[in-house]
Amino acid sequence: MSKVCDVIVVGCGVIGAAITYYLSASGMEVVAVEENDVGSGTSSRCDGNVLVIDKKPGFDCELALKSQELFETLEDDISFDVEYRQLGSVLAVETEAQAEGAAQWHSAMSRSGVRVKYIESSDVHAHEPMLAQDIVGLFECASDSSLNPMNLVYGYVLAAQNNGAVIKTRTKAKRLLLDTQNHIKGVETSEGTILAPLVVISAGVWTPQIVRTCGVDVPIVPRKGHIIVSERTFKVASRKIQEFGYIMAKFGEEGQRDVEPEMEKYGIAMVFEPTPHENFLIGSSREFAGFDTTCNMEVVSLMAKRAIRFFPCIEDVRVIRTYAGLRPYTQDHRPIISKVDQVPGLYIASGHEGDGIGLAPITGLLVSEMLLGCTPSVPLELLSLNRFM
C-alpha cells in the first residue's frame, strides 16, 4: 500500500525526532520511519550532554552555541519536561603542562564567543571539593547544560505528532526509490512503499547502508563508547566534569596525559555527569569495533579506574549497570547536514559522533531551512557531504 506525503524521515532517534518536529511545525506533512522503537539506537545508549566546552573553537563552537540558544525555550516549545539543567561544565586540568594547553584553549574559545573562565588551583576545591587534591585548575563554560536524552526524543516525537506527523515504528527502510531522472520518489519499507519527493536520512551509524541503496557512499562509521551508571549516593559534584585530556581523546590529538597504554588504546578519558536522581554517569571510551554493542568489561574497569583517579571518594560506590552505544563518526568530527547532489530530493542529517543530543535542535532547524529554501541559521558548506568527495 502506498502513501503520499511531503517528506519522509528515515530514523527516529534524537536527530530524526528533532527533524520531524521542525518539519511538522513548518506545516509539512511528515512520515518518520523507525526500524525499532523511537530512540532505541544510539539515543538510548548515551549521556545527556549539551556542551560547547568540548568543541573545537570556531565553526564548531558557533554550531553548538546556536543549538544551546534553541534549548533555552525548548521545553516550552514542545510542552515536555526534558530535565534540562543549565549548570555549566568544567574540564579538570591534571598537570601544569596541561594548564598551558588550557590557557591556549581558553583564548581560542573566548575569541569564538564562548563564556569561559579559568579557575586556578587555589580555588579548585572551593568549587568542587571532592576532586583529587592535585588537580591544578578548572576550565569552566557557563552555558553548558545536561538533560535526559530519552525525554528529549519523546518530547520531540509527541510534539511532532501533535503537529500531524506520522511516526511508523517497527518499520524497516529497505531501499530508496528513484524516478527515471534519478530524483528521489520514496522509500520501500517492510510495511509497504511510502512516496514523497523529499527524503531525509537520519539513521546515525546505519545511514550509509540505507543511502548505499541508491549508489551513494556516506563516510560514517560506528565508534563505540561505554557508560557506567552508579547507584544513588552522596553528592560528588555539582555539574558535568571532564578531564582536560578528554579533548585529546575525542579528537585523537597527542598531549600531556599520563595514562596507561590500554587507556590510550580504548580512548578512555574521565567524564562525570550527575543526574537529577542522585546518582551519576561515568564515561568515556572510544574504539572502532564495528556494530558490536556488548560491554567490554576490561574497558569498563579502566574507565572506573580513571574516574577514581579524579574522584577518589567514589571508589566504594556501587555500579548498577553499564551499557555501550555507537557514535556515528566522521573523519573531521563534524556532522553531515546536507543535500545529496547526485540524488535530488535526498538529504542526510547524521554523523554527529557524540554530539547528537546537544546538536539536535540546530540540526532539526537547519534541515527544515534547507527543505523550505530558507537562509540557513549557520553556513552549511562545512557540513556538506561534498567535503568528503
Side-chain angles (χ1 to χ4, degrees), residues 180-201:
T180 56
Q181 303 299 312
N182 213 48
H183 290 213
I184 201 77
K185 71 173 185 179
V187 179
E188 181 186 329
T189 80
S190 57
E191 302 302 314
T193 298
I194 308 173
L195 300 179
L198 301 169
V199 174
V200 183
I201 311 299

Side-chain angles (χ1 to χ4, degrees), residues 11-17 34 36-46 149-150 152-154 157 167 169:
C12 201
V14 70
I15 298 298
E34 168 56 49
N36 297 298
D37 290 324
V38 297
S40 59
T42 300
S43 299
S44 65
R45 297 169 177 263
C46 61
M150 289 306 295
L152 182 61
V153 175
Y154 295 143
V157 165
I167 314 295
T169 58

Side-chain angles (χ1 to χ4, degrees), residues 57 111 167 207 219 262 278 282 289 344 366:
R111 291 193 298 271
I167 314 295
T207 292
E262 288 301 295
E278 299 180 355
I282 291 292
L366 287 171

